[in-house]
Amino acid sequence: MRRKCQFLDSPVRIPHQGPRSATAISSVRFSGPFADSAWMNTFMRQMRAARSGLNRWVDRLAGEPAFVLGNGPSLPDDLSCLADHFTVGCNRIYERIDPTILVWLDHEIEANGGGEIIRGLQAIKFATRYADPMGLAREHFIIDAKQPPTFSKIVSPSPCRGNSGFRSVLLAYALGCSPIVLLGMDGKPGPDGRTHFYGTCKAWEGHAWVTERFQEKLRAVRDLCPVPVISCSHNDFFDYESLDSVLARLPAGKGRDFYRSKLR
């Protein structure tokens, strides 16, 4: 269909997307003389953000420390010390802890038996619709993969296709958390060759681009994140600090019920 913009000299073509859901709006693409317009791209990002209910959570946890839990081989075996802290865990982190928020982008998790485990978690569940065929997530966020990695007070859409760790850092920042502490965010195999704490992920085998993309996101966190980032992970972008040392100088956690009350 064609819609006239009264302030433009030529019409803008918008493909029919069906119902006006956030997912439909996220896939709108302009063609014609304004397809590459910076103004038009900004307008569309703002419109997608306005349609996402997730953005009501911006700055709800202002000043609260956040622990982002990746699946890298340096992830500690015992995470019970984080039980009362605000945690954002990625993918199969449920094998170590029931986080405050669980974020998964891996569409194979539910298919391989993880779905029933996720169903029983207390965690607030975030996923893309593609990764959540069982409909377990409380919220589905939009991926805007064409945008470069950026930090903004927008929960969704997110410029982070294919990386749940970076998605989780962006989420913690949008919620107002500071500092952000990284655990299991390695971006590379460990000394024993494992790519993840649970072993070797098939998606990483023989695909150097997966590691390169993860490292690109870690570099973006180091260079662009506006709030302090502390790393308890063995990666190439941050100085390492032990979890015990970090916990000793941060305030005590306020418990799951407190954080959930802020994210309603």
Side-chain angles (χ1 to χ4, degrees):
M1 63 182 173
R2 295 169 71 85
R3 296 176 185 169
K4 283 276 189 177
C5 293
Q6 295 178 357
F7 48 89
L8 301 178
D9 295 330
S10 61
V12 177
R13 185 180 300 277
I14 305 177
H16 177 65
Q17 299 293 332
R20 288 176 175 270
S21 65
T23 303
I25 288 179
S26 73
S27 56
V28 170
R29 292 291 181 267
F30 285 90
S31 61
F34 298 98
D36 297 321
S37 165
W39 177 89
M40 190 64 74
N41 289 333
T42 298
F43 170 76
M44 288 304 297
R45 286 198 300 273
Q46 291 173 343
M47 188 166 72
R48 289 193 293 268
R51 299 290 293 190
S52 174
L54 296 179
N55 293 308
R56 68 189 183 278
W57 288 356
V58 167
D59 284 336
R60 288 285 183 87
L61 295 177
E64 296 290 337
F67 292 81
V68 174
L69 311 177
N71 289 182
S74 71
L75 186 75
D77 292 335
D78 184 5
L79 295 176
S80 59
C81 57
L82 299 180
D84 290 332
H85 289 272
F86 177 68
T87 53
V88 185
C90 306
N91 292 326
R92 287 173 60 176
I93 194 66
Y94 53 76
E95 296 184 16
R96 291 281 169 87
I97 190 175
D98 186 347
T100 317
I101 293 178
L102 176 67
V103 173
W104 74 99
L105 303 185
D106 185 350
H107 67 280
E108 295 185 355
I109 286 180
E110 293 184 15
N112 292 332
E116 292 307 315
I117 299 175
I118 292 174
R119 190 190 302 278
L121 297 178
Q122 297 182 65
I124 301 170
K125 303 170 182 67
F126 279 63
T128 59
R129 294 187 185 278
Y130 177 68
D132 185 29
M134 296 174 65
L136 301 175
R138 166 176 165 178
E139 301 282 359
H140 289 116
F141 50 78
I142 303 165
I143 298 297
D144 192 355
K146 292 192 175 183
Q147 299 303 319
T150 55
F151 281 80
S152 62
K153 292 293 185 174
I154 295 177
V155 178
S156 179
S158 169
C160 64
R161 182 176 182 179
N163 193 285
S164 56
F166 188 59
R167 164 67 269 177
S168 298
V169 173
L170 291 178
L171 175 59
Y173 170 70
L175 294 176
C177 296
S178 179
I180 297 173
V181 184
L182 308 180
L183 287 90
M185 294 279 285
D186 302 346
K188 61 180 181 179
D192 59 0
R194 292 183 304 153
T195 60
H196 293 68
F197 72 84
Y198 51 79
T200 299
C201 178
K202 292 183 179 179
W204 284 51
E205 292 181 338
H207 299 290
W209 62 269
V210 177
T211 302
E212 293 170 0
R213 184 161 62 185
F214 201 148
Q215 292 179 348
E216 173 193 353
K217 298 302 191 297
L218 285 172
R219 186 180 295 108
V221 173
R222 181 195 65 189
D223 296 343
L224 302 177
C225 187
V227 301
V229 177
I230 303 169
S231 178
C232 301
S233 307
H234 294 300
N235 59 55
D236 299 330
F237 300 94
F238 296 90
D239 293 332
Y240 172 81
E241 185 173 352
S242 71
L243 180 57
D244 288 341
S245 173
V246 173
L247 289 174
R249 59 188 176 87
L250 289 181
K254 298 179 179 179
R256 185 186 299 271
D257 290 344
F258 170 82
Y259 301 120
R260 289 183 68 93
S261 72
K262 295 291 186 178
L263 302 177
R264 291 177 177 171

